[in-house]
Amino acid sequence: MKAISFVAGAALATVASTASADTLTVYTYDSFTSDWGPGPAVEKAFEAECDCDLEFVAMGDGAELLARLKLEGARTDADIVLGLDTNLTAAAKDTGLFAPHSVTADWSLPIEWTDTTFIPYDWGYFAFVYDKEKVSNPPESFDALAASDLSILIQDPRSSTPGLGLLLWVKSVYGDKAAEAWAGLNDQVVTVTKGWSEAYGMFLEGEADLVLSYTTSPAYHLIAEDDDSKAAIAFEEGNYMQIEVAGKVASSDQPELADKFMAFVASEAFQSIIPTTNWMYPAVTPKAGLPAGFETLAQPGKALVFSSEEAGALRKPAVEEWLATSAK
């Protein structure tokens, strides 16, 4: 009876402790919180510092995060949104739902970071990934891709940040002739998925020859699976760059804890998790450098990127242009 009473008492104490702990709610995308993603390690590391409960709420992809936040407004449960990118930050700022940050760091980005609302946590280049055992002569430009008989999987730009990134990539290369480019590329598109996870999963199941992903994606197969059969293509015209960001929600009921998490995102503890869980380049290079295998990745000869303001202005017309050509 004493043992049973002790266990019951310990359980009640645990419940009481959990109930009294401050909770920080972070909205993010589903692959971040997966068992193989950064979420579990980030949660463990931050909770060890904060004496709090870090709770992730997962959604399909970055664009869905913004749509959810717009729907909820100031009533949202989110304290932090993690998973938007610079193609969405202008629209996110326009909502008035985000607070400024005071984080400083030695950012290791290809561009200077001056945003006072959002902080970067990783970055990479969009690319088409293929299996070297199935595709022997991968196309090295959009024109070559359109002229090939290869099938591709892409993501919906209305719900997915890679999907939107592809539209802006095409726009940065073709400008006013982007619609013509899409008219050629659409013949290769097998499926448009809601998010990245669905598309990449279909690619691994052999549903298409190429999938829109990142130049860093092959690192996962190489490091985690000891498989060097996957490769990404550096296009002759350049590859479009993505910078993923975190932001503090202005209506957070845990403002100090949210500030602490924002600072944690730029820390060694967080950044060292990114390369081999989110399979992207960290926004601050860890002291140990990048893991072995990253040096083998495709390196675009040119980085293509619109400013957040340019991307915000182009987003709607680019989506409309894509929809119009996809319907034909």
Side-chain angles (χ1 to χ4, degrees):
M1 287 296 293
K2 287 183 179 180
I4 293 175
S5 297
F6 174 78
V7 170
L12 288 173
T14 299
V15 171
S17 175
T18 302
S20 63
D22 291 330
T23 298
L24 187 76
T25 302
V26 177
Y27 281 10
T28 188
Y29 46 80
D30 52 10
S31 62
F32 194 94
T33 63
S34 65
D35 290 341
W36 48 266
V42 168
E43 181 178 7
K44 181 179 179 181
F46 185 64
E47 288 183 348
E49 293 186 9
C50 71
D51 189 27
C52 69
D53 178 23
L54 179 61
E55 180 179 286
F56 287 113
V57 176
M59 291 159 220
D61 215 325
E64 284 189 64
L65 296 174
L66 182 56
R68 171 78 171 266
L69 199 66
K70 284 182 176 180
L71 181 65
E72 295 176 345
R75 298 174 288 106
T76 184
D77 291 331
D79 300 298
I80 297 286
V81 175
L82 186 151
L84 304 179
D85 67 10
T86 52
N87 296 325
L88 294 172
T89 51
K93 290 177 186 177
D94 286 344
T95 66
L97 295 172
F98 288 91
H101 72 82
S102 58
V103 178
T104 58
D106 185 15
W107 306 116
S108 51
L109 302 170
I111 62 173
E112 183 181 3
W113 192 259
T114 58
D115 196 313
T116 58
T117 303
F118 296 97
I119 63 169
Y121 65 90
D122 68 16
W123 67 278
Y125 296 101
F126 294 118
F128 287 98
V129 173
Y130 67 100
D131 189 323
K132 293 186 289 185
E133 296 175 355
K134 298 179 180 179
V135 177
S136 58
N137 189 28
E140 296 183 351
S141 68
F142 280 116
D143 285 349
L145 175 58
S148 75
D149 59 358
L150 296 172
S151 57
I152 61 176
L153 292 159
I154 65 174
Q155 298 85 22
D156 193 324
R158 295 165 294 181
S159 56
S160 165
T161 53
L164 177 58
L166 176 60
L167 263 60
L168 295 174
W169 186 5
V170 171
K171 200 71 175 174
S172 68
V173 171
Y174 291 98
D176 293 340
K177 295 183 178 180
E180 297 175 25
W182 275 113
L185 290 168
N186 283 332
D187 289 340
Q188 272 65 44
V189 177
V190 173
T191 300
V192 179
T193 63
K194 189 175 181 181
W196 175 87
S197 297
E198 299 95 321
Y200 206 81
M202 291 177 66
F203 164 70
L204 293 179
E205 291 170 2
E207 297 295 321
D209 300 310
L210 301 128
V211 61
L212 177 66
S213 193
Y214 299 88
T215 58
T216 47
S217 297
Y220 165 75
H221 302 285
L222 182 63
I223 297 172
E225 300 179 332
D226 195 26
D227 174 9
D228 66 354
S229 66
K230 308 300 185 294
I233 309 169
F235 270 16
E236 294 171 354
E237 54 263 71
N239 291 56
Y240 197 84
M241 186 172 67
Q242 181 187 46
I243 301 174
E244 295 190 296
V245 302
K248 173 186 173 182
V249 177
S251 60
S252 169
D253 60 0
Q254 297 286 351
E256 293 183 2
L257 193 55
D259 287 338
K260 187 170 184 177
F261 183 81
M262 291 286 282
F264 174 75
V265 167
S267 73
E268 174 81 8
F270 183 103
Q271 292 293 311
S272 63
I273 292 169
I274 290 296
T276 55
T277 55
N278 222 33
W279 303 100
M280 296 279 277
Y281 293 108
V284 179
T285 302
K287 294 176 182 178
L290 295 173
F294 269 67
E295 76 282 356
T296 68
L297 302 176
Q299 296 296 325
K302 184 178 181 181
L304 304 174
V305 66
F306 288 115
S307 69
S308 58
E309 293 76 17
E310 290 171 330
L314 286 169
R315 181 186 177 198
K316 184 177 179 181
V319 169
E320 291 175 347
E321 184 176 62
W322 172 76
L323 288 171
T325 57
S326 298
K328 294 179 180 179

